[in-house]
Structures are given as C-alpha cells and as structure tokens.
Amino acid sequence: GDGAWQAAGGGKVLQVVSSLFNNAQVESTSTSWASTTHTGAITLSATASKLLVILTGHAYGTTANQAGFDLYYDKGGAGFNSMGVLTRGDGKQDGFSKALSVLVSPSSTAVLTVAVYFKSYDTSSVYYNYNGATTTYSNMILMEIDGS
C-alpha cells in the first residue's frame, strides 16, 4: 500500500459512565432475585451502539456456594431483565470479589439503567458491598461502544 491510514470503523468507545457504590453493605436472605440498589444509567447515541458493563464488587455469603449475583438492565422504564452474567459463590466469602462483565446490543437510545441483583440459594444471608472490618466500594462502568 501507500502507507496511508484508513479511517477506523466500529468498536470505538463513545462514552463512559461510572457508578460508585460506597453505601453501607446490603443484606438479603431472599431466594428470589432482588436489587442491591447499585445502579448506573447511560443513554446510547445510536441504536447500533453496544453497551459494555464492567462491575467490580465485593460480596459475601454466610453459606458456601449459596450467594448469587447477576446484572439486570431496564430500557426506558420497561422493566428489569437479566443480562445473563450470573455468578454463584464458589466458597464462603466468594459470591464475587472479582469483576463481572457483559457486552449487549440493546438496540435502543432510551435511558438504559443497569442494576446489580442478588439472591440466596438457601435463605442464608448474602451481602453486597460487603465490608467486613474495612470500608468497601463497588464500581460499575458503563461504556457505549460504536456498533457501526
């Protein structure tokens, strides 16, 4: 070739929103999915755009393997639905102390609200933003990715 650069196509990051959850820990014993109240919102600029969600958080289940966590999202007030990134604790203190991530194509320019949901698989206590003896912060990053 002639050494000239080609214009970049899709895949560019168009906007980034961060939602820091530094509230006190949230507890549940429910065996149904419930919101932790940690949410983030973004409005995509085009229906072709994709949404990348990255969550880093801390959780705790009082019984091994019984803490469940998932990301849900709502398009413009239509109701929350699972994003399918369910994680289940693999040990007493590991509901998740790692990152969850998911890339979706919502085909919408309505406000998208993402929420962290949790549940107990056996009615034992499950904690989100678990702090034990220290201060803990959980963070959600929402990125609009150019889908053109």
Side-chain angles (χ1 to χ4, degrees), residues 28 58-69 89 91-96 119-120 122 124-128 130:
S28 178
H58 304 278
Y60 178 83
T62 56
T63 305
N65 302 316
Q66 300 306 314
F69 296 87
K92 186 170 183 180
Q93 293 185 342
D94 191 23
F96 74 90
K119 77 176 204 171
S120 173
D122 68 354
S124 61
S125 292
V126 175
Y127 299 91
Y128 177 70
Y130 179 73

Side-chain angles (χ1 to χ4, degrees), residues 13 37 42 50 56 82-83 89 96 98 111 119 122-123 133-134:
V13 175
T37 70
I42 191 170
K50 298 184 182 320
T56 56
S82 172
M83 298 177 85
F96 74 90
K98 52 191 175 278
V111 175
K119 77 176 204 171
D122 68 354
T123 71
T134 61

Side-chain angles (χ1 to χ4, degrees), residues 94-148:
D94 191 23
F96 74 90
S97 55
K98 52 191 175 278
L100 296 177
S101 61
V102 63
L103 179 68
V104 294
S105 300
S107 301
S108 177
T109 56
V111 175
L112 299 172
T113 303
V114 178
V116 181
Y117 274 60
F118 67 158
K119 77 176 204 171
S120 173
Y121 285 93
D122 68 354
T123 71
S124 61
S125 292
V126 175
Y127 299 91
Y128 177 70
N129 209 47
Y130 179 73
N131 59 19
T134 61
T135 302
T136 301
Y137 302 98
S138 296
N139 195 29
M140 180 188 308
I141 306 291
L142 307 175
M143 292 186 206
E144 178 181 5
I145 309 296
D146 184 4
S148 62

Side-chain angles (χ1 to χ4, degrees), residues 70-93:
D70 199 355
L71 295 174
Y72 277 58
Y73 80 113
D74 169 73
K75 286 193 240 182
F80 282 92
N81 293 292
S82 172
M83 298 177 85
V85 292
L86 169 70
T87 185
R88 187 167 176 172
D90 56 7
K92 186 170 183 180
Q93 293 185 342

Side-chain angles (χ1 to χ4, degrees), residues 4-39:
W5 288 92
Q6 295 295 318
K12 293 179 254 178
V13 175
L14 301 178
Q15 64 174 310
V16 177
V17 175
S18 176
S19 171
L20 182 66
F21 188 80
N22 57 2
N23 298 342
Q25 66 190 15
V26 181
E27 178 186 7
S28 178
T29 57
S30 175
T31 57
S32 299
W33 290 105
S35 175
T36 63
T37 70
H38 185 185
T39 62

